[in-house]
Amino acid sequence: MKVQFLGHGSFLIEINGTNILIDPFISGNPSNKSIKITDLEADYILITHGHGDHVADVEAIGIRTKAKIISNFEVVNWFEKKGLSGHAMNHGGKYQFDFGTVKYVSAIHSSSMPDGTYGGNPGGFVIWSESKCIYIAGDTALTMDMKLIPMLCPTLDAVILPVGDNFTMGYEEAMIASDFVECNEVIACHYDTMDVIKVDKDHITKEFTAKGKNITFLNIGQTKTI
Ligand code: NI
Ligand code: MN
C-alpha cells in the first residue's frame, strides 16, 4: 500500500494498482505548489465530509477520471446531482470493493457542502486489503468510538490523524487516538495549511518518540509505503 500526501487532508492511496483519492483539496490549497489535479488518476474518491477543504476538487477530478465517489449518503447524493457516480455508505457499515474493504466510521466534527446543503454526519474510513490496513480519521476530535476500530477491523498498519488543532484534535489527542486504535505508526495531516493550524513538527515528533510512537510529516507529493 502506497500513501502519497497531497497536502492538508488529501492523500492518494494505491492498493494493487487501484488509485484511491482521499478528500481532494489541491488546486485551492495555498501551501501546494507542486501537485496539479489534471495529473492525478483516481479510480475512487473517498470523502470524509462535505467541507470545502475536503471536497473542492472532487467534481473536476471525478468528471475527468470517472472515479466512483465513496462517502456518506448525503455527500454522495450531492455529487450525483452534478453527474458523478457514487457509492453511499453510512456509519458502522462496511463494503467490499474490488481493491479491498472500506468501513465508514464515526468522527466528531460537522459536515455541510460548499453551497450550505446538509452534508450528513462526518466520518472516517478504515481501508483494508489482504495484506494492509489503514485508518483515515478525517476531521475529528478525539472520540471514544476510536476504541471500536481494533475490535472490528484487522490490525492497523498505519493511521492518518489530524494534528493541527483548532478545527480538529491537536497532537496531544492524536497520541491518545493512536493508543485507542492500537497503532503507533501515525501519518500527520490537517496542519500548516493556514495560520490557525500551524504546528511545531520537531516538538510533536519528540513527544511521539518519547511515547514509543512514530509520526511522519510527509512533504506535499511525498509517498510512504506501508
Ligand atoms: Ni472539516
Ligand atoms: Mn478540514
Side-chain angles (χ1 to χ4, degrees), residues 15-30:
I15 301 175
N16 298 328
T18 300
N19 289 307
I20 302 151
L21 185 63
I22 315 285
D23 284 358
F25 167 65
I26 295 155
S27 58
N29 179 348

Side-chain angles (χ1 to χ4, degrees), residues 4-66:
Q4 184 185 23
F5 183 49
L6 302 177
H8 200 55
S10 310
F11 290 85
L12 185 63
I13 296 179
E14 196 220 293
I15 301 175
N16 298 328
T18 300
N19 289 307
I20 302 151
L21 185 63
I22 315 285
D23 284 358
F25 167 65
I26 295 155
S27 58
N29 179 348
S31 54
N32 168 46
K33 288 170 187 72
S34 56
I35 308 288
K36 290 194 183 69
I37 59 167
T38 46
D39 294 336
L40 293 173
E41 287 309 323
D43 300 298
Y44 294 89
I45 305 176
L46 273 59
I47 306 167
T48 60
H49 66 293
H51 289 158
D53 62 320
H54 297 258
V55 305
D57 294 315
V58 169
E59 190 176 352
I61 298 170
I63 295 285
R64 179 177 55 81
T65 62
K66 300 188 171 59

Side-chain angles (χ1 to χ4, degrees), residues 8 48-54 109-111 122 138-140 167-168 190:
H8 200 55
T48 60
H49 66 293
H51 289 158
D53 62 320
H54 297 258
H109 193 65
S110 58
S111 178
D139 285 10
T140 184
F167 301 117
T168 66
H190 220 275

